[in-house]
């Protein structure tokens, strides 16, 4: 970004005369540390430079103004991407009170080499020096005063004058390091998370899990105030730098091989109590404020746990979840058509493996880049779309598409074990997709399950247009007839009574005589509901006739069931 200079040339010359000693900014130096060095070498205080801190609500014009003033003082052009901690501060990933009191951490070995403030020392996840493999200092080893950027620039404690470079720092266990040689967060060792999330999102997720490990399990048993809990949850910060390092490494390890390692850990923590495990995951994912991250993790979790629940997750799964990515996920993330992916796999002679837990096709993480390069560099023409691709283009549920394609006879081919349909033929028959539908298309707008709706349509005389030869009880209806029939079916539970309530009102004998039709809610197995109007009608009839007469009356249809 180019700097807009907002003061006159004459004033600029006057300002530059104020600072006869000029210095260069180190590439990894914080802007605050640079300004302190600039002030000290010219025997001035920082306030004499008349440069205000960038405010939380600063706009681009305000930032340009500050950077322009720095240029006037130093002759150096500093761009927005060099305001390193400020950008992280907006994400909530800097140390508490860094913005207000310039608190920071530091590495004594780095200060011994060159005495200036490194920008990444202000970031909460930098608990150790990635060059010297030692824990950073966040307080004076002598008087325990908090370290600020001014102290680091001077190289000594502002309270007791202890020289930080003389500190005896403790080495970190190198096997658990999570920072790269350039200081970047190395991300999570999970093909799904590493390809689905940015490096920043993986860091936020790791810090969020750190908090949940402390707050929702008994693994650490740390005594924390509400303020400390909030700082750990939203900033990833804990007062003890060694414990914070341990939390980060542990959370990062559990997120690898997502979600197997975390599920196995929770099984051990909660003694295989599936309700507690589900409660942990529900809160852990639901409370993530980033909606994209929330949706991605929730769909992934439901997709995985839906295949047999928690008991199918074993330590043998770790190798697969740690080293392989599902083909379906690869297609979704990079929008690779099924037919094109099939051709790329054949050209590169890549063999897929099958996951033992969910029997899905997998590709090794080392082969993903080969597929992506082939996909991006080659020109592909394709005629066949997978079911998922067709559903996305036509905006229709997958089951309806499958049955309509079976009814019409759309040409298909199998690619990577999945049936794909000739898309041009689909477009020519688009009217059929608008005219016909399965009951699944109406489930999102109904509280009742598919079996209830099918039985209801049968009772009100809506005819089945086509029966699938390959799927049991999967029927095709004329869409307009279904819409018209469902308008008479109430979705208000106030119009219905659950079976226990009906049993109290009627008793078993009268309930059996009334021959009431049961309605079953989606996702709730077992307990049926009955129309309140029908229950009241049976009670009315029972006041005038015997149980056998009620049964005959209802069986002959003298009393309508609606």
């Amino acid at each position: 970004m180019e700097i807009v200079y907002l003061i006159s040339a004459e004033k600029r010359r006057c300002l530059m005369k104020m600072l006869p000693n000029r210095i260069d900014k180190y590439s990894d130096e914080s802007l605050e540390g640079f300004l302190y060095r600039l002030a000290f070498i010219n025997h001035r205080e920082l306030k004499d430079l008349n440069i205000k801190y960038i405010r939380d609500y600063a706009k681009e014009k305000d930032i340009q103004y500050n950077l322009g003033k720095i240029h006037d003082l130093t002759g150096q052009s500093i761009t927005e991407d060099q305001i390193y901690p400020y950008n992280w501060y907006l994400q909530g990933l800097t140390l508490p009170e860094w913005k207000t009191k310039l608190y920071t951490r530091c590495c004594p070995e780095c200060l011994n080499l060159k005495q200036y403030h490194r920008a990444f020392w202000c970031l909460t996840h930098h608990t150790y020096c990635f060059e010297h493999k030692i824990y950073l200092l966040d307080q004076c080893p002598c008087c325990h005063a908090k370290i600020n950027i001014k102290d680091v620039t001077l190289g000594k404690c502002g309270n007791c004058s202890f020289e930080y470079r003389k500190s005896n720092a403790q080495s970190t266990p190198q096997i658990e390091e999570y920072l790269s040689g350039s200081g970047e967060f190395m991300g999570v060792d999970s093909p799904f998370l590493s390809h689905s999330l940015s490096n920043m999102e993986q860091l936020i997720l790791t810090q969020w899990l750190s908090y949940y490990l402390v707050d929702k399990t008994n693994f650490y048993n740390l005594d924390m105030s509400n303020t400390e809990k909030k700082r750990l949850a939203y900033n990833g910060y804990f007062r003890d730098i060694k414990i914070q390092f341990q939390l980060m490494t542990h959370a990062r390890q559990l997120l690898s091989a997502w979600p197997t390692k975390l599920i196995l850990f929770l099984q051990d923590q909660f003694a295989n109590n599936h309700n507690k495990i589900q409660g942990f995951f529900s809160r852990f994912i639901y409370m993530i404020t980033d909606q994209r991250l929330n949706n991605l993790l929730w769909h992934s979790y439901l997709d995985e746990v839906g295949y047999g629940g928690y008991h199918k997750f074993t330590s043998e799964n770790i190798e697969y979840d740690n080293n392989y990515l599902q083909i379906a996920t690869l297609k979704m993330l990079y929008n690779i058509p099924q037919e094109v992916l099939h051709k790329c796999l054949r050209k590169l002679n890549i063999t897929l493996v099958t996951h033992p837990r969910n029997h899905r096709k997998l590709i090794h993480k080392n082969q993903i880049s080969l597929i992506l390069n082939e996909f991006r560099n080659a020109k592909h023409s394709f005629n066949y779309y997978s079911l998922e691709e067709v559903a996305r283009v036509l905006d229709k549920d997958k089951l309806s598409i499958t049955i309509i394609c079976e009814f019409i006879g759309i040409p298909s081919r199998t690619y990577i074990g999945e049936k794909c349909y000739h898309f041009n033929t689909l477009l020519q028959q688009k009217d059929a997709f608008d005219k016909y539908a399965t009951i699944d298309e109406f489930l999102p707008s109904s509280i009742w399950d598919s079996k209830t709706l099918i039985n209801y349509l049968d009772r009100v005389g809506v005819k089945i247009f086509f029966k699938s030869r390959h799927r049991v009880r999967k029927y095709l209806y004329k869409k307009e007839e279904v819409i018209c029939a469902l308008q008479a079916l109430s979705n208000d539970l106030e119009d219905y009574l659950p079976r226990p309530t009906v049993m109290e009102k009627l008793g078993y004998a009268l309930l059996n005589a009334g021959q009431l039709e049961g309605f079953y809610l989606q996702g709730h197995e077992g307990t049926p509901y009955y129309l309140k109007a029908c229950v009241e009608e049976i009670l009315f009839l029972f006041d005038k006739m015997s149980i056998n007469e009620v049964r005959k009356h209802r069986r002959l249809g003298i009393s309508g069931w609606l």
Side-chain angles (χ1 to χ4, degrees):
M1 182 189 75
E2 295 183 358
I3 305 300
V4 178
Y5 306 111
L6 303 174
I7 60 177
S8 65
E10 182 180 354
K11 190 172 182 181
R12 189 177 301 124
R13 285 193 295 271
C14 292
L15 287 170
M16 293 174 71
K17 286 179 181 179
M18 291 171 52
L19 302 173
N21 299 319
R22 318 301 289 277
I23 59 173
D24 292 327
K25 181 179 178 297
Y26 294 105
S27 60
D28 60 347
E29 185 176 18
S30 70
L31 186 59
E32 295 79 11
F34 170 69
L35 293 176
Y36 268 116
R37 278 204 308 127
L38 181 65
F40 294 156
I41 202 169
N42 285 280
H43 308 288
R44 295 180 180 275
E45 292 294 328
L46 184 62
K47 62 182 180 180
D48 297 333
L49 302 184
N50 196 28
I51 297 176
K52 297 179 180 179
Y53 297 127
I54 298 172
R55 301 181 186 276
D56 301 359
Y57 51 82
K59 297 180 180 179
E60 186 173 329
K61 184 175 71 172
D62 302 319
I63 296 174
Q64 286 189 11
Y65 179 79
N66 270 21
L67 298 183
K69 291 185 70 173
I70 294 170
H71 176 272
D72 296 328
L73 286 168
T74 65
Q76 293 194 31
S77 294
I78 298 176
T79 55
E80 276 192 50
D81 60 345
Q82 292 177 290
I83 318 174
Y84 190 70
Y86 175 72
N87 296 326
W88 287 76
Y89 168 76
L90 296 178
Q91 298 289 335
L93 299 174
T94 50
L95 295 174
E97 298 180 300
W98 163 78
K99 192 74 167 57
T100 56
K101 298 182 180 179
L102 295 183
Y103 287 149
T104 185
R105 294 167 175 163
C106 69
C107 169
E109 295 291 341
C110 288
L111 290 178
N112 193 39
L113 293 174
K114 283 186 179 180
Q115 192 172 295
Y116 68 93
H117 179 256
R118 279 70 168 171
F120 40 74
W121 287 343
C122 294
L123 309 183
T124 52
H125 65 286
H126 276 257
T127 55
Y128 69 98
C129 177
F130 56 86
E131 292 183 349
H132 299 105
K133 316 301 181 187
I134 58 176
Y135 290 110
L136 298 180
L137 302 177
D138 57 1
Q139 61 182 18
C140 175
C142 184
C143 69
H144 305 296
K146 285 190 174 182
I147 296 173
N148 60 45
I149 293 178
K150 180 180 179 180
D151 297 341
V152 171
T153 308
L154 291 172
K156 61 184 180 180
C157 176
N159 186 50
C160 69
S161 299
F162 176 81
E163 294 185 36
Y164 297 136
R165 61 186 178 84
K166 295 181 180 179
S167 303
N168 293 320
Q170 183 178 343
S171 299
T172 59
Q174 295 188 20
I175 193 171
E176 297 180 343
E177 291 171 3
Y178 54 81
L179 297 175
S180 68
S182 60
E184 297 292 331
F185 180 69
M186 288 195 294
V188 178
D189 190 15
S190 161
F192 172 75
L193 294 179
S194 62
H195 282 273
S196 303
L197 306 179
S198 67
N199 198 268
M200 177 77 78
E201 289 173 325
Q202 293 178 62
L203 172 60
I204 293 172
L205 181 62
T206 304
Q207 292 183 336
W208 184 244
L209 180 58
S210 299
Y211 161 69
Y212 262 78
L213 292 177
V214 173
D215 195 52
K216 306 301 181 184
T217 73
N218 296 321
F219 191 79
Y220 288 95
N221 289 322
L222 298 177
D223 184 21
M224 294 192 300
S225 66
N226 288 333
T227 299
E228 288 177 321
K229 286 182 179 181
K230 288 180 180 179
R231 285 178 171 177
L232 182 58
Y234 299 108
N235 304 103
Y237 173 82
F238 188 68
R239 62 180 182 272
D240 187 315
I241 201 168
K242 294 178 183 178
I243 293 180
Q244 188 190 329
F245 172 84
Q246 185 180 354
L247 288 170
M248 282 290 295
T249 54
H250 190 198
R252 182 171 173 270
Q253 289 169 2
L254 291 178
L255 286 172
S256 65
W258 168 267
T260 299
K261 280 189 178 181
L262 184 53
I263 288 177
L264 293 178
F265 170 78
L266 295 175
Q267 284 178 342
D268 182 60
Q269 284 294 298
F270 299 140
N272 283 320
N273 187 319
H274 290 184
N275 289 332
K276 288 186 176 181
I277 297 174
Q278 183 178 355
F280 180 96
F281 269 103
S282 298
R283 290 189 295 270
F284 168 62
I285 297 175
Y286 178 75
M287 294 301 292
I288 295 174
T289 55
D290 186 304
Q291 198 58 48
R292 193 191 83 86
L293 183 56
N294 183 304
N295 290 337
L296 187 76
L297 291 178
W298 188 246
H299 290 153
S300 167
Y301 165 72
L302 291 180
D303 185 52
E304 290 287 354
V305 176
Y307 280 84
Y310 301 107
H311 68 277
K312 282 199 171 184
F313 287 83
T314 64
S315 57
E316 288 76 18
N317 296 162
I318 293 176
E319 178 187 355
Y320 291 91
D321 296 327
N322 210 51
N323 295 299
Y324 293 88
L325 181 68
Q326 289 187 18
I327 279 293
T329 304
L330 179 66
K331 284 168 45 188
M332 176 195 71
L333 292 177
Y334 298 102
N335 293 318
I336 306 177
Q338 185 91 358
E339 182 181 356
V340 173
L341 182 58
H342 173 79
K343 292 177 180 178
C344 291
L345 291 171
R346 291 188 63 182
K347 182 177 180 179
L348 297 171
N349 197 26
I350 293 176
T351 303
L352 303 179
V353 300
T354 303
H355 201 303
R357 182 177 68 243
N358 52 36
H359 308 294
R360 295 187 175 181
K361 297 295 183 182
L362 308 173
I363 184 170
H364 196 276
K365 61 184 180 183
N366 294 338
Q367 297 173 325
I368 294 174
S369 59
L370 300 176
I371 290 289
L372 296 180
N373 288 334
E374 176 65 24
F375 173 60
R376 290 164 182 161
N377 297 332
K379 292 183 178 180
H380 299 285
S381 59
F382 55 99
N383 300 308
Y384 287 82
Y385 279 39
S386 68
L387 182 59
E388 185 176 344
E389 292 158 358
V390 174
R392 185 170 60 250
V393 173
L394 296 182
D395 191 23
K396 200 171 183 71
D397 69 283
K398 295 179 182 179
L399 181 62
S400 293
I401 291 172
T402 303
I403 307 302
I404 292 172
C405 286
E406 179 187 348
F407 164 63
I408 298 174
I410 302 292
S412 64
R413 290 181 182 177
T414 301
Y415 293 120
I416 322 176
E418 185 176 345
K419 182 177 284 189
C420 299
Y421 298 96
H422 193 268
F423 194 66
N424 287 338
T425 308
L426 281 171
L427 293 180
Q428 293 170 7
Q429 300 290 339
K430 192 173 183 304
D431 289 345
F433 291 93
D434 296 331
K435 187 176 180 181
Y436 305 110
T438 63
I439 206 66
D440 285 45
E441 186 168 330
F442 303 95
L443 289 177
S445 58
S446 176
I447 63 174
W448 308 114
D449 67 11
S450 58
K451 186 177 180 180
T452 297
L453 294 182
I454 289 173
N455 291 338
Y456 168 77
L457 294 178
D458 181 53
R459 289 195 297 271
V460 298
V462 175
K463 295 182 179 179
I464 296 172
F465 185 77
F466 175 75
K467 293 183 180 181
S468 173
R469 295 185 295 274
H470 309 297
R471 295 171 179 260
V472 179
R473 286 183 63 83
K474 297 304 179 184
Y475 311 132
L476 208 59
Y477 298 91
K478 288 186 177 180
K479 194 171 181 178
E480 288 186 2
E481 293 181 3
V482 176
I483 293 173
C484 183
L486 292 183
Q487 286 177 350
L489 179 63
S490 172
N491 279 316
D492 187 355
L493 271 183
E494 293 294 324
D495 295 334
Y496 300 85
L497 295 173
R499 182 180 177 87
T501 303
V502 175
M503 285 289 291
E504 290 179 8
K505 289 179 174 290
L506 302 183
Y508 179 77
L510 189 55
L511 173 62
N512 186 47
Q515 303 169 66
L516 291 169
E517 302 293 344
F519 296 80
Y520 294 84
L521 291 170
Q522 293 185 40
H524 293 74
E525 297 181 1
T527 303
Y529 285 76
Y530 303 102
L531 272 169
K532 188 185 296 184
C534 290
V535 175
E536 292 171 352
E537 183 179 350
I538 291 172
L539 288 172
F540 174 78
L541 293 174
F542 187 56
D543 285 340
K544 301 180 179 296
M545 57 185 72
S546 67
I547 288 181
N548 287 333
E549 289 175 322
V550 170
R551 177 181 288 107
K552 182 178 179 182
H553 199 81
R554 295 282 295 173
R555 184 173 62 248
L556 294 176
I558 297 173
S559 167
W561 70 278
L562 279 175

